[in-house]
Amino acid sequence: MTHPQPSAELLRRLAEGDDAALRELYRQYGRLAYAIALRVLGREDRAEDAVQEAFLRVWKNADRFDPEKGAFSTWFGRLVRNLCIDMLHRREPLMNADPIDDVERWLDPAGSVAEPVLDRLIARDVFLRLPPEQSQILELAYFNGLTHREIAAALEIPEGTVKSRMRLGLEKMRRHLDGSQGQ
Amino acid sequence: MTNGRMDRERIRDLLVAHALGISSEAEREELAAALRHWPEGRLELAALMRTADVLALTSDQSAAPAIGLEGRIMMRARSERDEGGTRAPRRAARHRRARPRRLRSAIPYGFAAAFAALAIGFGVMAFRDDPEPVGRWLAVQGSSGTDAALAYVTNYQNAPVGLLLRDVPPPPEGSIYRLWHVHADDSVLAGPTFQPDAENSVALALAAPGGGEVVGFAVSVEPNSAGAITTPELPTRDAIRYTIGLE
């Protein structure tokens, strides 16, 4: 299932408060958002709460998305994921969580590589190619929000092992993605 | 040399942790300091973040959220836009209660009851063959002693598929509402239980429980059993709070 990026026109309408644009966006990304939320939160009712909150956050922050820094799908996916992790860990109230990370202000837009649209099948293929000990750790980190220490405790392995497998797994994914995109 | 290698390993671990969204506040500050004068590091971080974000796409998208979710989102968005982006609509202040109640609800959709009786006079709803969902606002009048509400019924291919309500008061303490489907053959089948959200609004996906053409709905109040009741008994007349007729 591909996720064609929303047009500049759609994003403009969204930033101007056009609710029809929000509806279009929901019909395009609602299923993805729900899939991420359900995977993290494990409950339909909470997943729907998270999806609702994610789209409302996009509604209020549409003018903050910079297409030069990457695809909307990945920006939105990260927003949903972070929001769900906060819900999972009962951290900051949903309304106060900020999707824009302090560190990201140092990212140089000029240095960003143009990002092609990623197909879900490619993404799954890349992930499944990883050794299970690496994919398991990435899953625990990304979809459960566990830290190095928490993962080490959960799997009863040294923290250093967690860090190295996590790093190797992510770097391996990156190489696979570069290869599948012909880079 | 050893310290330099450890520092590089340390920074790489911070990059990966941040890309995966698991770094602590202290680690974020440490990474920000390291990246301040390290342009290659910033590019590395960007690449790792894009790689990590691919994980989101591995989620199984075969399941779809409830049909009513779109309506809930649109209602909230319009409400926030129309009120200048304020967090709490004025209307909700009268019925405000602890928000976690909705999140802890065992009901899949966290809906609230309050299907007030449909105002007689709208006549037969215009069911028609249409590939797109159609709907309309219905004036709703509650039974004696209950508040009025507004309902928006969404129809798709001649069947009601979604029901949105506004100005729905919460049920009595310790109680919950249940939706009943009323069919043309006079059969009544139980639907889901639900509660209002903090803004006294309701969105309900009308999954057909079987039984043929739906001609209306009823809402009853019952003790909140946290979803334990799977085959509820038909409500008594006193338990019925609202009815909605579709013809």
Side-chain angles (χ1 to χ4, degrees):
Chain A
M1 178 183 299
T2 56
H3 289 91
Q5 300 306 306
S7 65
E9 173 67 15
L10 180 65
L11 294 174
R12 182 191 63 77
R13 286 164 52 206
L14 202 65
E16 291 176 352
D18 182 349
D19 53 10
L22 179 63
R23 186 186 299 278
E24 287 179 45
L25 198 71
Y26 174 80
R27 290 181 179 177
Q28 198 171 334
Y29 288 93
R31 196 178 276 256
L32 171 63
Y34 184 69
I36 297 169
L38 195 58
R39 189 169 179 181
V40 175
L41 297 168
R43 279 174 51 177
E44 294 174 356
D45 56 340
R46 299 197 75 194
E48 290 184 5
D49 286 344
V51 170
Q52 176 175 295
E53 191 52 46
F55 276 96
L56 288 174
R57 199 161 296 180
V58 170
W59 175 243
K60 285 181 268 193
N61 295 290
D63 56 344
R64 299 182 73 181
F65 169 67
D66 183 356
E68 295 296 321
K69 284 213 174 113
F72 178 86
S73 57
T74 49
W75 178 82
F76 182 60
R78 178 167 284 264
L79 184 155
V80 174
R81 177 267 176 191
N82 288 347
L83 193 151
C84 291
I85 293 297
D86 287 343
M87 284 177 68
L88 192 64
H89 294 181
R90 298 184 184 278
R91 286 203 286 254
E92 289 293 307
L94 297 181
M95 300 300 179
N96 295 333
D98 191 339
I100 305 301
D101 198 314
D102 288 344
V103 178
E104 292 172 33
R105 73 177 185 269
W106 296 107
L107 296 179
D108 180 2
S112 299
V113 178
E115 181 171 356
V117 173
L118 285 178
D119 186 275
R120 174 175 166 267
L121 293 178
I122 294 176
R124 246 186 107 67
D125 176 63
V126 166
F127 186 65
L128 290 176
R129 285 194 204 184
L130 295 178
E133 64 270 16
Q134 293 175 8
S135 60
Q136 179 189 38
I137 285 176
L138 291 179
E139 176 102 24
L140 288 172
Y142 191 80
F143 290 104
N144 294 85
L146 299 186
T147 63
H148 295 127
R149 185 168 304 174
E150 290 168 339
I151 294 173
L155 299 181
E156 296 181 339
I157 58 177
E159 195 172 329
T161 303
V162 171
K163 290 179 180 178
S164 65
R165 288 179 181 175
M166 188 182 290
R167 187 172 61 245
L168 287 171
L170 201 61
E171 288 174 353
K172 196 168 294 184
M173 277 186 67
R174 181 182 169 186
R175 285 197 299 275
H176 284 318
L177 286 169
D178 288 346
S180 65
Q181 294 162 22
Q183 294 182 7
Chain B
M1 182 69 70
T2 302
N3 284 342
R5 185 162 50 242
M6 286 179 64
D7 287 342
R8 281 198 298 275
E9 266 195 34
R10 167 77 179 157
I11 293 299
R12 291 212 176 276
D13 288 337
L14 290 178
L15 286 172
V16 169
H18 185 76
L20 289 169
I22 60 170
S23 53
S24 66
E25 192 63 39
E27 289 171 338
R28 284 154 54 121
E29 290 176 3
E30 184 180 351
L31 183 58
L35 291 176
R36 195 165 288 125
H37 306 291
W38 187 27
E40 294 83 8
R42 296 198 286 271
L43 289 176
E44 178 74 9
L45 177 61
L48 287 172
M49 288 181 72
R50 282 196 293 269
T51 302
D53 288 338
V54 168
L55 290 168
L57 298 181
T58 66
S59 302
D60 182 5
Q61 296 181 48
S62 59
I67 294 175
L69 179 58
E70 178 179 328
R72 281 162 53 193
I73 293 171
M74 297 309 299
M75 284 175 63
R76 282 278 307 277
R78 290 190 192 108
S79 176
E80 295 194 9
R81 178 195 61 193
D82 294 346
E83 297 187 12
T86 54
R87 177 61 53 201
R90 291 189 300 276
R91 190 178 300 114
R94 296 201 303 271
H95 304 287
R96 186 177 302 283
R97 55 200 174 101
R99 192 171 182 80
R101 177 178 173 183
R102 180 166 72 94
L103 295 178
R104 287 199 298 269
S105 170
I107 309 305
Y109 310 111
F111 298 126
F115 296 98
L118 184 62
I120 298 175
F122 271 85
V124 178
M125 286 197 65
F127 292 101
R128 55 190 173 93
D129 289 328
D130 194 309
E132 296 296 323
V134 296
R136 62 176 181 167
W137 282 99
L138 307 170
V140 178
Q141 186 173 6
S143 57
S144 175
T146 58
D147 293 337
L150 288 173
Y152 184 88
V153 178
T154 304
N155 297 310
Y156 182 69
Q157 294 183 344
N158 293 335
V161 294
L163 186 63
L164 307 178
L165 298 174
R166 299 177 72 175
D167 293 331
V168 170
E173 187 69 29
S175 300
I176 199 165
Y177 292 97
R178 182 180 293 279
L179 175 70
W180 300 85
H181 297 249
V182 181
H183 297 270
D185 62 357
D186 290 335
S187 63
V188 178
L189 297 177
T193 56
F194 39 79
Q195 300 201 29
D197 64 17
E199 285 78 34
N200 288 349
S201 62
V202 184
L204 189 62
L206 302 178
E213 181 188 358
V214 174
V215 297
F217 305 97
V219 174
S220 65
V221 175
E222 63 186 49
N224 190 351
S225 62
I229 299 176
T230 56
T231 54
E233 297 180 359
L234 289 176
T236 63
R237 182 178 296 274
D238 290 340
I240 297 292
R241 286 293 183 268
Y242 307 103
T243 57
I244 301 177
L246 298 181
E247 62 179 20

